[in-house]
C-alpha cells in the first residue's frame, strides 16, 4: 500500500481521491464504474444513516424514550449495535478503497511492462479460478462479521458501559470505561467473592477434566481387553448415560440426593438420619457430587474417543516392549498414554474449557443459594454461574460482560499455553 | 507520492466530513419526533385486532377461549377482535416491547406488571370508567399504583395462601378435645399452636412416618407471613428499597415459629421435597395438612380421587368422596408470644404474603381504548364468576367474591382486613427471593442438626440471621446500582 502511495502515478492518485477513477483512466470502464458506484453508495450510506450510527455509538443516545407518552427517544442498546455495524461498514469501505488503490497501482506496473490493462471479464473469470478462494470466502466472512463478530464485540463493549441494574432502556446507557472491572477487583463484597470463585473454578476444571479423562481412558482400556466377553454390550451402558440429555440426568441426580430422594429414603429406612447432600452446609459434599455427576455425563465421550484411538496403536510396539521385558505399567506409561495423549490434547483442552465454563452442573444441582461470605453466589458456583446470578437474576449486565471477558482471557491463555506446550504441537511428527 | 497521498487523504476526509455533518444534522431528529399525546380519548379504535397475553392455566382450562369468544361477539359490530397473543406467559414487556414484540393487553402478577412502570412500558389507566372500580378493594388497587395517583393495572384475582387439610384425618374426638371455643371449627384450623401440637402428636404416634402440617419452609412466599405477623415487612413505605425489613419489629419471633414448625416435620421441609410431594402425600394420608394457593384445589382433588379409585370406588364416587374429605381454610392465627407449645398465649392474626394478578395495557399498543374495553369486559361480574368456576381463582371484585362465598369470600375478607401483605410492586423484589430462601432453609434445618451444630438456638441468633439476609438483599439491590 505504501509503495502504491509512493510510486503511484496520476491515475493511482485519481483512484485514491475517487474510487474507480484511475481504473477509468486506464480504460477499465466496467470496473471503474463499479468502483465509482461503490464510492457513491458509501457516501449515500453515511449521509442517510451511517453518520447517525457512528454518532449514536459515541453518545449512546441523548433523548430518553417514554412510550406511554408517545416519545420515541433513543434506545442505547440499538444505538450500540447499529454503531458497531456502522464501524464494520466503514472498515469494509476502507478495505475496498485500499484494494482499489493497490489494483490501480498493479495495473500501472502491468502497463509499464508493456502489457495491456486486464479486461474486466478476465478478472471476473479469475474469481472462479485463480482467485476462487475470494469468491468462496466472501459470504462466510460477511456472515461471520454480522453473526459472530458483531455480537462478540457488542458483548465486550457492554463491559465498558453502565448497562444493567436500573439503567436499561428506555434509560440511557453511558460509557463508563473500566468501571466494571474496577468494581470486580476492588469493591468490598465483590473482590473476595471473585477470587474465591476463581480459585474453586480452577480446582473444579482441573479435577473434573482429569477425572473425566482418566475415567474414560480407564473404561476404554478395560473394554479393550480381549478376555472380556460381549465387550460391545458393556460399552453400551456408558453410552446410554451419554445419550440421555444432560439436564435430565442433572435433575434426576438432584432428586436422588434431595431429602425426599431414594438415597435418603434408604438411609432413613435403615434407621439413619437424612443427609443434606446438596444443602446449605454441604460445601464439599456438594462439590464432590458435582464432580461425580459431571463424570457420569462426560466419561462416555472420552471412553468412545479413547476406544477409537486405542484401536490405532501398532500392536508390534507392545510385542517389542514385551520382548524387552517391559511390565504392563511401563507399557501403559511409555506407549499407551503418550499415544492417546498426543491424539487427544486438543480434546483435553476443549474439555478443560468446557468444564471451566460448566454452567449446568451446579445450576441444576444446587442453584438458588447465596451462602455467607459470598456476594450473590454459593460456595459451589463457578464464575459462569456467578455471571448468571449477576446478569440474569440481578440485571447487572455490564458486570456480567466484564466477568465473561475475564473468563475469555483466562481460558484463551490457558488453551494457547497448554496447546503450544503439548506434544501435539511440539512433536507433530512423532506418531506419523 | 506528491499526488497520491493528498488524494488519499482527500477521499478519507470526504467520508469523515460526510459522517460528521450528517451525524450532527440528524442528531436532534429523535428529540423533535417525540410528542406527548393523550392515549385514551374514549373513542374505540374500530377494525382492530388485540393481542391478549393470558396465563397458561386459563388457556389450558378453556377459560381464555370462552372469554375471547364472548368479547368478540360483543364487539363484532365495531370490528374489534381479541386473539391469543400466543406468547410465553412470562414474557418480559420491558425487554421485548421496545423492539415491537409483545401483546396489547398483558395478564400477570402485580409485581411483574408494576416493574414495567419503570420504563413507562405500560399505560396509566382511567380505571374510574371501569365497571369493577367501585367493587374492588382499595388494597387490591394499591398494588397497581406507584404513589403518583395513577393506576397501571386492573385487579382480577387475589393470590393468597390457603390451608388444605384432610377432614377425615381429624381426630374422632376433635369436637370435645380440639374445639376449645366450641365454634364447630377444629382448633388446628384456627390456631397454629393447636396445629403444632396436633402435628407433634401424629408424628410421635406414627413413629415419624406420618405428619400433621407439612410445608417446604424455605419458600419465602409462604413462610414470610410468619415474619410479617410480628412486624417484618419487605420494603419500607412507598416501596423504599433502601429499607429492607425482614428483621424489623419482632420478626425473630416469627422465625422462631418457622423453626418450631420444622421440628414437627421431616427434613423435606428444608428443600422443595414437600412442595413436590404434597398432593400425593396428602391424598395418601401421610400428611394431614399443607398450605398453597387456591388455584391448586383441583390438583389435590385429582390425587385424592386417584387414591379412592385405587381402593375400588367408581370415578364419580371417588370424586364425591374426595370433595367431601378435602377441606380448605384460611391461615390459622399465631400465639402472640410466638411459642407454639404455649396454649395460654393470646392469639394474633397471621399475616400472609399474597399477590394480585391483573390486566395492564402495553404502551406500545395502537388501540388503547379497545384494550380498555377488553379489560372492562374481562373484569365484569359475570366473567369473573366464570373465571372462578373454571379456574378456582379468588376474584378481586368483592361482589363476585361474596357471591361465590366460602373460602373465596374469606380470602377477600382477609384482603380487606389488611392481613394479606401484597408483594411489593417493585423490580427489586426479584432480589429478595434467593437470600431469604437461603436463610429460611438454614432455619428449617436447625432442628435436624446435632446439638453442637445448631445455628439458631435463641431469638438473638434468629434476629442476627434475619439482619444478615436484609443486608444481602440491600447489597444485591444497591451495591452495583
Amino acid at each position: 500500500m505504501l509503495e502504491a502511495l509512493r510510486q503511484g502515478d496520476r491515475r493511482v492518485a485519481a483512484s485514491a481521491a475517487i474510487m474507480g477513477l484511475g481504473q477509468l483512466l486506464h480504460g477499465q470502464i466496467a470496473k471503474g464504474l463499479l468502483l465509482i458506484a461503490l464510492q457513491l453508495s458509501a457516501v449515500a450510506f453515511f449521509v442517510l444513516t451511517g453518520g447517525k450510527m457512528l454518532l449514536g455509538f459515541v453518545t449512546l443516545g441523548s433523548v430518553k424514550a417514554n412510550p406511554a407518552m408517545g416519545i420515541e427517544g433513543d434506545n442505547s442498546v440499538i444505538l450500540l449495535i447499529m454503531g458497531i455495524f456502522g464501524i464494520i461498514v466503514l472498515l469494509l469501505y476502507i478495505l475496498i478503497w485500499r484494494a482499489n488503490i493497490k489494483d490501480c497501482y498493479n495495473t500501472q506496473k502491468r502497463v509499464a511492462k508493456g502489457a495491456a490493462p486486464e479486461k474486466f471479464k478476465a478478472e471476473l473469470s479469475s474469481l472462479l479460478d485463480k482467485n476462487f478462494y475470494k469468491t468462496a470466502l466472501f459470504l462466510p466472512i460477511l456472515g461471520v462479521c454480522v453473526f459472530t463478530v458483531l455480537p462478540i464485540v457488542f458483548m465486550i463493549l457492554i463491559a465498558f458501559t453502565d448497562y444493567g441494574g436500573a439503567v436499561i432502556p428506555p434509560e440511557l446507557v453511558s460509557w463508563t470505561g473500566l468501571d466494571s472491572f474496577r468494581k470486580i477487583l476492588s469493591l468490598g463484597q465483590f473482590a473476595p467473592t471473585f477470587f474465591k470463585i476463581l480459585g474453586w473454578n480452577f480446582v473444579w476444571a482441573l479435577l473434573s477434566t482429569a477425572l473425566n479423562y482418566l475415567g474414560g481412558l480407564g473404561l476404554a482400556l478395560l473394554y479393550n481387553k480381549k478376555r472380556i466377553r460381549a465387550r460391545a454390550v458393556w460399552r453400551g451402558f456408558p453410552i446410554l448415560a451419554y445419550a440421555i440429555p444432560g439436564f435430565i440426568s442433572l435433575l434426576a441426580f438432584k432428586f436422588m440426593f434431595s431429602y425426599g430422594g431414594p438415597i435418603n429414603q434408604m438411609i432413613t429406612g435403615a434407621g439413619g438420619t437424612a443427609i443434606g447432600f446438596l444443602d446449605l452446609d454441604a460445601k464439599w459434599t456438594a462439590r464432590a457430587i458435582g464432580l461425580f455427576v459431571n463424570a457420569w455425563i462426560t466419561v462416555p465421550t472420552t471412553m468412545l474417543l479413547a476406544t477409537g484411538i486405542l484401536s490405532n496403536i501398532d500392536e508390534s510396539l507392545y510385542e517389542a516392549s514385551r520382548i524387552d521385558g517391559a511390565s504392563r505399567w511401563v507399557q501403559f506409561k511409555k506407549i499407551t498414554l503418550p499415544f492417546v495423549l498426543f491424539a487427544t490434547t486438543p480434546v483435553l483442552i476443549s474439555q478443560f474449557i468446557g468444564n471451566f465454563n460448566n454452567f449446568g452442573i451446579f445450576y441444576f444441582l444446587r442453584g438458588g443459594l447465596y451462602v455467607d461470605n459470598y456476594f450473590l453466589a454459593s460456595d459451589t458456583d463457578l464464575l459462569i454461574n456467578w455471571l448468571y446470578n449477576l446478569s440474569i437474576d440481578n440485571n447487572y449486565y455490564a458486570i456480567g460482560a466484564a466477568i465473561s471477558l475475564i473468563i475469555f482471557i483466562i481460558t484463551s491463555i490457558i488453551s494457547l499455553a497448554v496447546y503450544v506446550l503439548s506434544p501435539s504441537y511440539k512433536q507433530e511428527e512423532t506418531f506419523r | 507520492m506528491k499526488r497520491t497521498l493528498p488524494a488519499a487523504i482527500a477521499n478519507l476526509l470526504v467520508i469523515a466530513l460526510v459522517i460528521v455533518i450528517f451525524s450532527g444534522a440528524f442528531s436532534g431528529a429523535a428529540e423533535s419526533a417525540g410528542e406527548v399525546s393523550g392515549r385514551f380519548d374514549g373513542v374505540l379504535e374500530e377494525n382492530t385486532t388485540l393481542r391478549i397475553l393470558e396465563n397458561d392455566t386459563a388457556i389450558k382450562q378453556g377459560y381464555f377461549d370462552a372469554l375471547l369468544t364472548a368479547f368478540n361477539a360483543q364487539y363484532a359490530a365495531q370490528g374489534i377482535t381479541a386473539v391469543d397473543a400466543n406468547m410465553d406467559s412470562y414474557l418480559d414487556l420491558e425487554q421485548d416491547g421496545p423492539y415491537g414484540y409483545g401483546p396489547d393487553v398483558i395478564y400477570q402478577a402485580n409485581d411483574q406488571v408494576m416493574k414495567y412502570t419503570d420504563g413507562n412500558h405500560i399505560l396509566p389507566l382511567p380505571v374510574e370508567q371501569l365497571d369493577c372500580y367501585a367493587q374492588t378493594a382499595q388494597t387490591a388497587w394499591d398494588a397497581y399504583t406507584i404513589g403518583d395517583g395513577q393506576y397501571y393495572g386492573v385487579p382480577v384475582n387475589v393470590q393468597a395462601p390457603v390451608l388444605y387439610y384432610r377432614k377425615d384425618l381429624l381426630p374422632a374426638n376433635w369436637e370435645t378435645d380440639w374445639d376449645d371455643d366450641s365454634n364447630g371449627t377444629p382448633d388446628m384450623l384456627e390456631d397454629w399452636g393447636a396445629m403444632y401440637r396436633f402435628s407433634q402428636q401424629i408424628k410421635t404416634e406414627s413413629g415419624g412416618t406420618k405428619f400433621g402440617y407439612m410445608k417446604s419452609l424455605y419458600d419465602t412466599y409462604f413462610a414470610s407471613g410468619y415474619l410479617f405477623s410480628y412486624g417484618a415487612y419487605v420494603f419500607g413505605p412507598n416501596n423504599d428499597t433502601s429499607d429492607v425489613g425482614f428483621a424489623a419489629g419482632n420478626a425473630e419471633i416469627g422465625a422462631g415459629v418457622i423453626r418450631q414448625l420444622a421440628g414437627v416435620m421431616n427434613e423435606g421441609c428444608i428443600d422443595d421435597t414437600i412442595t413436590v410431594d404434597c398432593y400425593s402425600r396428602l391424598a395418601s394420608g401421610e400428611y394431614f395438612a399443607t398450605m398453597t394457593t387456591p388455584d391448586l384445589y383441583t390438583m389435590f382433588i385429582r390425587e385424592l380421587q386417584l387414591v379412592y379409585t385405587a381402593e375400588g370406588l367408581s370415578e364419580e364416587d371417588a370424586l364425591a368422596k374426595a370433595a367431601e374429605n378435602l377441606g380448605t381454610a384460611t391461615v390459622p392465627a399465631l400465639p402472640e408470644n410466638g411459642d407454639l407449645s404455649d396454649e395460654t398465649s393470646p392469639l394474633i392474626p397471621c399475616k400472609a404474603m399474597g399477590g394480585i394478578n391483573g390486566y395492564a395495557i402495553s404502551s406500545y399498543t395502537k388501540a388503547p381504548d379497545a384494550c380498555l374495553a377488553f379489560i372492562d369486559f374481562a373484569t365484569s361480574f359475570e366473567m369473573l364468576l366464570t373465571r372462578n368456576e373454571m379456574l378456582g381463582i379468588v376474584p378481586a371484585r368483592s361482589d363476585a367474591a361474596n357471591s361465590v362465598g366460602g373460602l373465596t369470600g374469606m380470602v377477600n375478607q382477609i384482603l380487606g382486613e389488611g392481613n394479606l401483605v401484597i408483594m411489593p410492586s417493585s423490580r427489586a423484589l426479584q432480589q429478595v427471593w434467593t437470600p431469604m430462601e437461603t436463610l429460611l432453609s438454614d432455619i428449617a434445618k436447625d432442628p435436624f442438626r446435632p446439638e453442637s451444630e445448631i445455628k439458631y438456638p435463641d431469638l438473638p441468633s434468629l434476629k442476627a440471621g434475619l439482619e444478615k439476609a436484609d443486608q444481602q438483599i440491600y447489597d444485591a439491590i444497591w451495591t452495583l446500582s
Side-chain angles (χ1 to χ4, degrees):
Chain A
M1 176 72 181
L2 275 175
E3 189 193 335
L5 289 175
R6 253 187 249 119
Q7 309 292 334
D9 61 8
R10 63 186 176 86
R11 292 185 187 87
V12 176
S15 265
I18 299 170
M19 280 198 328
L21 194 57
Q23 283 80 353
L24 276 179
L25 293 172
H26 274 298
Q28 295 173 301
I29 307 296
K31 187 158 69 174
L33 288 176
L34 188 68
L35 287 168
I36 287 175
L38 269 175
Q39 169 98 57
L40 290 174
S41 306
V43 172
F45 170 76
F46 285 110
V47 166
L48 296 173
T49 174
K52 271 196 290 178
M53 283 179 179
L54 295 175
L55 181 81
F57 179 81
V58 176
T59 64
L60 295 181
S62 52
V63 182
K64 189 180 153 184
N66 186 338
M69 305 287 274
I71 299 173
E72 204 175 309
D74 294 324
N75 184 324
S76 300
V77 176
I78 296 286
L79 288 178
L80 182 56
I81 294 172
M82 295 315 288
I84 298 168
F85 181 72
I87 290 171
I88 290 176
V89 173
L90 184 62
L91 291 176
L92 208 63
Y93 168 76
I94 292 171
L95 280 176
I96 295 171
W97 173 75
R98 189 172 170 271
N100 138 76
I101 294 174
K102 278 177 78 177
D103 173 72
C104 195
Y105 180 61
N106 287 339
T107 308
Q108 176 192 322
K109 286 199 292 187
R110 194 179 156 94
V111 171
K113 284 179 189 167
E118 206 169 4
K119 296 281 177 204
F120 188 56
K121 203 175 165 187
E123 284 192 68
L124 279 184
S125 305
S126 79
L127 286 176
L128 294 172
D129 185 13
K130 192 173 70 179
N131 291 322
F132 180 70
Y133 68 96
K134 289 180 184 169
T135 314
L137 287 177
F138 176 72
L139 278 179
I141 285 176
L142 201 67
V144 164
C145 283
V146 174
F147 298 112
T148 306
V149 174
L150 197 146
I152 289 176
V153 172
F154 171 73
M155 191 278 293
I156 290 171
L157 290 175
I158 286 291
F160 301 95
T161 68
D162 57 0
Y163 182 36
V167 187
I168 47 174
E171 292 294 329
L172 295 172
V173 176
S174 312
W175 292 109
T176 54
L178 296 170
D179 213 34
S180 299
F181 298 91
R182 188 187 56 73
K183 280 179 182 169
I184 291 171
L185 298 173
S186 65
L187 215 60
Q189 300 98 320
F190 234 100
T193 303
F194 174 73
F195 289 112
K196 268 189 274 190
I197 294 181
L198 183 66
W200 158 235
N201 211 146
F202 273 115
V203 173
W204 158 264
L206 286 170
L207 283 179
S208 53
T209 307
L211 191 66
N212 300 348
Y213 190 77
L214 295 175
L217 185 58
L219 272 184
L221 286 169
L222 186 70
Y223 294 144
N224 225 26
K225 293 282 170 205
K226 291 197 171 66
R227 71 185 70 162
I228 293 181
R229 286 182 191 172
R231 283 181 295 170
V233 176
W234 293 112
R235 276 193 194 116
F237 286 105
I239 292 167
L240 273 180
Y242 175 57
I244 295 168
F247 86 97
I248 291 180
S249 301
L250 289 169
L251 289 176
F253 276 111
K254 185 186 180 176
F255 170 67
M256 280 176 63
F257 287 107
S258 72
Y259 279 109
I263 296 174
N264 268 321
Q265 297 271 357
M266 283 189 273
I267 292 172
T268 50
T273 310
I275 298 168
F277 291 106
L278 298 167
D279 75 6
L280 196 69
D281 302 331
K283 181 178 175 178
W284 281 103
T285 319
R287 288 178 173 183
I289 289 171
L291 283 167
F292 162 72
V293 173
N294 191 36
W296 177 273
I297 294 169
T298 317
V299 159
T301 327
T302 320
M303 183 199 81
L304 286 176
L305 190 73
T307 305
I309 292 163
L310 288 173
S311 66
N312 284 328
I313 298 186
D314 188 351
E315 275 298 316
S316 61
L317 291 173
Y318 291 100
E319 272 180 47
S321 66
R322 264 196 299 274
I323 293 165
D324 288 345
S327 65
R328 285 181 186 281
W329 171 243
V330 172
Q331 282 180 335
F332 173 75
K333 221 168 54 168
K334 299 286 182 187
I335 302 172
T336 312
L337 193 60
F339 185 82
V340 176
L341 211 54
F342 175 84
T344 56
T345 300
V347 177
L348 205 55
I349 293 170
S350 74
Q351 283 196 353
F352 178 85
I353 302 305
N355 284 322
F356 197 89
N357 290 322
N358 199 329
F359 172 77
I361 294 284
F362 291 109
Y363 177 77
F364 285 111
L365 285 180
R366 203 166 173 252
L369 280 182
Y370 295 162
V371 304
D372 288 350
N373 305 319
Y374 280 77
F375 181 71
L376 306 181
S378 83
D379 44 20
T380 45
D381 279 347
L382 306 176
L383 281 174
I384 194 85
N385 299 106
W386 194 39
L387 188 156
Y388 180 87
N389 291 348
L390 290 170
S391 54
I392 305 298
D393 287 352
N394 294 283
N395 284 341
Y396 293 127
Y397 301 121
I399 296 286
I403 293 175
S404 42
L405 209 54
I406 292 171
I407 293 175
F408 169 72
I409 292 167
I410 291 171
T411 50
S412 312
I413 291 171
I414 291 173
S415 322
L416 274 174
V418 172
Y419 184 65
V420 168
L421 295 172
S422 72
S424 306
Y425 179 81
K426 286 203 295 193
Q427 301 154 27
E428 206 175 337
E429 300 299 321
T430 306
F431 287 95
R432 286 194 179 165
Chain B
M1 184 74 170
K2 272 180 191 168
R3 285 178 300 223
T4 315
L5 192 60
I9 291 167
N11 184 303
L12 291 178
L13 278 179
V14 166
I15 289 293
L17 205 64
V18 162
I19 290 167
V20 170
I21 290 172
F22 286 91
S23 62
F26 286 101
S27 63
E31 211 159 0
S32 57
E35 63 173 43
V36 177
S37 59
R39 301 297 299 272
F40 295 98
D41 55 12
V43 181
L44 286 179
E45 299 84 0
E46 296 193 348
N47 302 317
T48 189
T49 299
L50 306 177
R51 290 167 303 163
I52 316 292
L53 180 72
E54 257 287 357
N55 79 341
D56 288 342
T57 317
I59 295 168
K60 278 182 201 152
Q61 304 283 339
Y63 168 75
F64 190 39
D65 261 349
L67 170 64
L68 293 180
T69 308
F71 175 79
N72 291 341
Q74 177 139 335
Y75 285 88
Q78 288 93 336
I80 299 172
T81 312
V83 297
D84 183 352
N86 207 14
M87 294 169 190
D88 179 7
S89 65
Y90 296 105
L91 170 131
D92 192 343
L93 191 65
E94 190 175 63
Q95 297 288 340
D96 301 320
Y99 308 106
Y101 179 76
D104 296 291
V105 176
I106 194 161
Y107 171 91
Q108 279 177 343
N110 65 295
D111 61 315
Q112 285 297 312
V113 166
M114 291 303 283
K115 76 175 186 185
Y116 302 140
T117 58
D118 275 356
N120 301 296
H121 300 289
I122 51 173
L123 295 173
L125 308 173
V127 294
E128 301 81 5
Q129 298 174 14
L130 301 175
D131 179 53
C132 67
Y133 180 66
Q135 296 296 336
T136 304
Q138 188 57 42
T139 326
W141 283 114
D142 288 347
Y144 286 101
T145 183
I146 50 172
D148 59 354
Q150 312 253 41
Y151 294 101
Y152 293 85
V154 180
V156 172
N157 60 286
V158 182
Q159 287 281 42
V162 170
L163 202 68
Y164 289 88
Y165 69 100
R166 286 279 299 271
K167 288 180 191 171
D168 54 323
L169 295 183
L170 281 166
N173 61 348
W174 73 264
E175 280 166 308
T176 51
D177 290 8
W178 292 90
D179 188 14
D180 282 352
D181 54 3
S182 305
N183 66 350
T185 305
D187 289 341
M188 48 285 256
L189 307 180
E190 297 181 314
D191 169 9
W192 273 117
M195 178 67 90
Y196 172 76
R197 291 187 293 277
F198 183 53
S199 302
Q200 207 166 31
Q201 182 184 312
I202 296 176
K203 190 178 173 183
T204 310
E205 285 173 0
S206 68
T209 57
K210 289 191 174 181
F211 303 90
Y213 175 68
M214 288 292 271
K215 180 72 197 161
S216 290
L217 292 169
Y218 82 99
D219 191 331
T220 309
Y221 183 81
F222 292 102
S224 53
Y226 304 113
L227 309 177
F228 296 151
S229 304
Y230 295 96
Y233 51 85
V234 183
F235 297 130
N238 294 323
N239 283 337
D240 176 8
T241 54
S242 64
D243 178 10
V244 183
F246 281 100
N250 296 317
E252 67 275 17
I253 297 179
V257 169
I258 295 170
R259 194 183 181 285
Q260 274 185 293
L261 284 174
V264 293
M265 301 182 191
N266 61 15
E267 290 91 342
C269 69
I270 300 168
D271 60 19
D272 62 352
T273 299
I274 298 175
T275 301
V276 174
D277 290 351
C278 66
Y279 310 101
S280 60
R281 304 220 175 190
L282 195 89
S284 70
E286 196 179 324
Y287 299 170
F288 164 69
T290 189
M291 186 171 25
T292 185
T293 49
D295 52 340
L296 293 169
Y297 182 81
T298 49
M299 289 279 285
F300 287 103
I301 287 287
R302 204 174 300 144
E303 287 290 334
L304 209 45
Q305 188 188 9
L306 282 175
V307 170
Y308 294 141
T309 316
E311 285 172 2
L313 289 185
S314 69
E315 291 274 330
E316 215 168 89
D317 290 346
L319 183 63
K321 193 174 175 185
E324 188 188 322
N325 285 340
L326 181 69
T328 51
T330 51
V331 180
L334 284 163
E336 194 173 26
N337 66 5
D339 182 359
L340 297 178
S341 61
D342 181 2
E343 296 184 43
T344 59
S345 174
L347 299 177
I348 57 167
C350 182
K351 291 179 188 279
M353 188 183 266
I356 308 286
N357 288 13
Y359 287 114
I361 299 178
S362 164
S363 296
Y364 307 96
T365 184
K366 300 277 189 285
D369 285 287
C371 290
L372 197 65
F374 175 83
I375 292 178
D376 198 23
F377 185 86
T379 53
S380 64
F381 178 80
E382 294 76 19
M383 282 320 298
L384 285 193
L385 278 191
T386 312
R387 195 170 184 121
N388 167 271
E389 278 166 26
M390 295 179 75
L391 306 176
I393 55 101
V394 177
R397 277 181 76 126
S398 53
D399 53 354
N402 293 336
S403 156
V404 175
L407 185 72
T408 299
M410 279 191 276
V411 170
N412 225 274
Q413 190 188 333
I414 293 167
L415 175 71
E417 287 167 355
N419 286 327
L420 198 64
V421 180
I422 302 299
M423 285 189 292
S425 297
S426 166
R427 159 198 314 282
L429 187 64
Q430 73 188 74
Q431 282 148 315
V432 164
W433 305 118
T434 308
M436 280 309 292
E437 280 172 11
T438 306
L439 171 72
L440 290 170
S441 66
D442 206 20
I443 292 173
K445 191 177 178 184
D446 228 21
F448 306 101
R449 290 189 169 106
E451 196 73 35
S452 59
E453 290 173 22
I454 283 175
K455 286 190 188 174
Y456 304 100
D458 48 28
L459 291 179
S461 56
L462 287 164
K463 183 85 171 177
L466 288 164
E467 282 169 348
K468 197 155 62 182
D470 278 357
Q471 188 60 45
Q472 270 189 335
I473 295 167
Y474 179 88
D475 287 346
I477 299 168
W478 289 99
T479 305
L480 295 165
S481 63

